[in-house]
Amino acid sequence: MITIRYINIALEVFGGLLSLIFILCLSLTGQRKEKLERMYIRVLITNTAVLFCDAAAWLFKGRMDLLGFYAVRIANFCVFSFGYILLAVFTDYLVCFIASRGFGISKFPARLMWSLSFTAIVLVIISQFNHMYYLIDDNNIYHRQNLFWLSQTFGIFCMLIDGSLLFRYRRRLSRAELMAVGAYIAMPIIAMFLQIYIYGIAVLYLATTISALCIYISIQVEQSHKFACEALELERSRTLLMLSQIQPHFLYNSLSVIKGLCQTEPLLAEQAIDHFSDFLRGNLNSLSNGDVIPFEQELSHARHFLAIEQMRFGNRIKICYNIPVTNFFIPSLTLQPIVENAVCHGILKRKEGGTVTIATSETDSAFIITVMDDGIGFDILNPPTDNRVHIGISNVRTRLAAQSNGSLEIKSLPHHGTTVTITIPKESVL
């Protein structure tokens, strides 16, 4: 019996530590947690609590001191109670899992499971007085009682409800998902049946730990696939944005300006060529640069674009810089497309032109870039239908979110100009 006792303690402590490792791995990734992942972490936390409580019950079994007296009673009560809570928490996870796959599923199964679990816990409390589930004798030894099978049958019934849910919504789930989530239902059911007839070996919560491992592996596979898709989409967005920046009409107009300056103002033409070549180099470099770059580098790229446009349109384009903060990083081709929109679709739509203001600031938690123009503006509820503008803004948003966890906000009023605000959390760029 002593050997079995320590085997059980070792198995359950191992299972608890394994669950803790899963929790730490999921919690310390630095990624924003999806609701489904948070639900799974709750399952692991509850499972860990059950395992450590059961290990404590075995550890203090038979000890006659005051600590042993209370530890055995509290630990056994917690094993039963947390076990029922685990059923409800897993059902929450299952409902969320099914909903995440595109099914419109009611929260009723989760509410039902919580009601059943609380009912089961009430019966455990009653059992402390009438000993229908278990008895702790005068030697501080745990003994099953006649209705112990009822406590296990209750759990089996709850898991069968989960199994019916999984079966009903199985069509949109992959085979791997069915196997992973199904294992968390099937293995505990088998273990509960065994637990009724096998006494002395803690198989139930070891089964839940193995099942949790299956789900953990499934989550990691899914995340790897998700990250691969995001990387592919990011590369596609960067390519589309780069291509959208190399516009034939801009190249033609810029070369025409340079040609004219060569005849009238050679020194200015030389400056224009420098700006033009640096601008093209920035666009081409962005295709191979998948990382964030210093803000000053991106600002320089925008300056080259503005210098060329000022040579074309003269006093119709006025630029105001208010750049007290530059010590941060942003995705390449983030500022320049916004500035281009302010010029081409804002101030140049007015006969007299206007002013574009580029400003930076910071708060305790974020760096802020603001691009304002006093151009024609537009109705936010009815934005312009220029597809190229839409693609450019959409790509900037995508890359900001993916590479800097940043955001882009647009405010505009017809005839009152447009303000674009880029917010980049400090924790992602320092």
Side-chain angles (χ1 to χ4, degrees):
M1 287 297 292
I2 294 178
T3 302
I4 292 177
R5 174 186 180 184
Y6 286 110
I7 288 175
N8 284 330
I9 293 173
L11 287 174
E12 297 197 324
V13 169
F14 172 76
L17 292 175
L18 193 62
S19 294
L20 282 177
I21 291 172
F22 295 160
I23 293 168
L24 288 173
C25 289
L26 292 171
S27 301
L28 300 179
T29 56
Q31 302 289 331
R32 184 179 178 182
K33 300 293 177 293
E34 300 290 340
K35 182 179 179 181
L36 185 62
E37 193 172 324
R38 294 196 302 270
M39 291 282 189
Y40 178 64
I41 290 175
R42 292 174 192 170
V43 171
L44 289 174
I45 290 172
T46 311
N47 187 67
T48 303
V50 174
L51 287 164
F52 283 143
C53 286
D54 207 23
W58 281 100
L59 180 64
F60 289 98
K61 179 181 178 181
R63 280 184 52 170
M64 300 301 295
D65 57 357
L66 188 63
L67 176 61
F69 178 86
Y70 285 108
V72 168
R73 283 158 178 77
I74 293 173
N76 278 288
F77 174 77
C78 289
V79 168
F80 278 83
S81 299
F82 281 131
Y84 292 126
I85 292 173
L86 180 60
L87 293 171
V89 172
F90 176 73
T91 305
D92 281 340
Y93 170 80
L94 182 60
V95 169
C96 184
F97 176 80
I98 292 171
S100 71
R101 297 308 185 265
F103 290 103
I105 182 172
S106 167
K107 291 185 178 180
F108 173 76
R111 296 190 183 111
L112 173 63
M113 195 64 71
W114 277 105
S115 299
L116 292 173
S117 296
F118 281 126
T119 301
I121 292 172
V122 169
L123 292 176
V124 174
I125 294 173
I126 294 173
S127 178
Q128 306 306 300
F129 302 97
N130 65 8
H131 310 300
M132 62 181 181
Y133 287 164
Y134 65 89
L135 169 69
I136 298 174
D137 64 18
D138 294 337
N139 294 319
N140 214 26
I141 303 295
Y142 168 95
H143 297 279
R144 292 181 180 178
Q145 296 300 292
N146 292 334
L147 292 180
F148 174 81
W149 62 269
L150 180 61
S151 67
Q152 301 300 293
T153 304
F154 203 101
I156 292 171
F157 174 72
C158 291
M159 295 304 286
L160 287 175
I161 293 176
D162 289 338
S164 66
L165 280 176
L166 187 63
F167 180 79
R168 179 181 177 184
Y169 294 100
R170 69 190 184 281
R171 296 188 181 278
R172 289 193 189 178
L173 305 180
S174 68
R175 180 177 296 180
E177 290 172 335
L178 277 173
M179 290 179 64
V181 180
Y184 201 94
I185 297 172
M187 292 182 68
I189 289 177
I190 295 171
M192 286 177 191
F193 274 116
L194 293 175
Q195 200 78 51
I196 294 174
Y197 300 104
I198 299 175
Y199 181 61
I201 300 178
V203 295
L204 174 56
Y205 300 114
L206 186 61
T208 62
T209 303
I210 295 173
S211 305
L213 174 61
C214 295
I215 296 180
Y216 177 79
I217 293 172
S218 175
I219 288 175
Q220 296 308 306
V221 171
E222 182 180 354
Q223 284 187 340
S224 297
H225 177 70
K226 179 182 177 182
F227 292 153
C229 290
E230 286 180 351
L232 185 63
E233 179 62 25
L234 188 60
E235 184 65 27
R236 176 178 173 275
S237 296
R238 192 164 56 247
T239 302
L240 285 175
L241 184 59
M242 189 279 296
L243 293 174
S244 73
Q245 296 305 303
I246 305 178
Q247 308 156 37
H249 73 272
F250 176 77
L251 298 179
Y252 173 78
N253 291 333
S254 298
L255 291 173
S256 295
V257 169
I258 293 171
K259 178 182 177 182
L261 290 174
C262 286
Q263 298 171 353
T264 58
E265 299 185 60
L267 292 178
L268 195 57
E270 184 178 342
Q271 294 178 21
I273 291 172
D274 288 338
H275 286 304
F276 185 62
S277 62
D278 287 338
F279 175 77
L280 289 181
R281 186 181 298 112
N283 280 341
L284 294 173
N285 286 344
S286 69
L287 183 61
S288 58
N289 185 5
D291 253 338
V292 292
I293 62 174
F295 171 74
E296 289 179 321
Q297 183 177 332
E298 178 65 12
L299 178 62
S300 176
H301 185 61
R303 287 181 188 270
H304 292 311
F305 169 79
L306 290 170
I308 296 169
E309 292 297 84
Q310 283 183 309
M311 290 179 184
R312 287 181 59 199
F313 297 101
N315 291 332
R316 289 185 64 197
I317 298 178
K318 301 177 183 66
I319 309 298
C320 178
Y321 295 99
N322 181 17
I323 314 290
V325 182
T326 59
N327 59 328
F328 60 96
F329 292 78
I330 62 173
S332 59
L333 281 182
T334 297
L335 178 63
Q336 188 274 326
I338 304 301
V339 171
E340 181 181 346
N341 283 342
V343 171
C344 299
H345 303 282
I347 61 175
L348 289 183
K349 295 294 184 179
R350 296 172 55 189
K351 183 177 180 180
E352 68 276 18
T355 302
V356 174
T357 301
I358 303 173
T360 62
S361 60
E362 65 177 313
T363 65
D364 291 339
S365 60
F367 295 104
I368 299 172
I369 307 167
T370 306
V371 178
M372 297 178 288
D373 70 73
D374 55 3
I376 61 170
F378 62 91
D379 184 356
I380 290 290
L381 299 178
N382 187 26
T385 56
D386 189 321
N387 190 52
R388 192 183 64 79
V389 174
H390 173 73
I391 290 174
I393 296 297
S394 176
N395 276 315
V396 169
R397 274 203 176 101
T398 298
R399 292 180 301 109
L400 271 172
Q403 293 180 264
S404 299
N405 198 26
S407 62
L408 183 149
E409 180 184 9
I410 301 176
K411 294 181 179 179
S412 186
L413 287 173
H415 312 297
H416 288 81
T418 301
T419 299
V420 177
T421 303
I422 296 172
T423 303
I424 301 178
K426 285 186 175 181
E427 62 183 16
S428 66
V429 295
L430 287 176

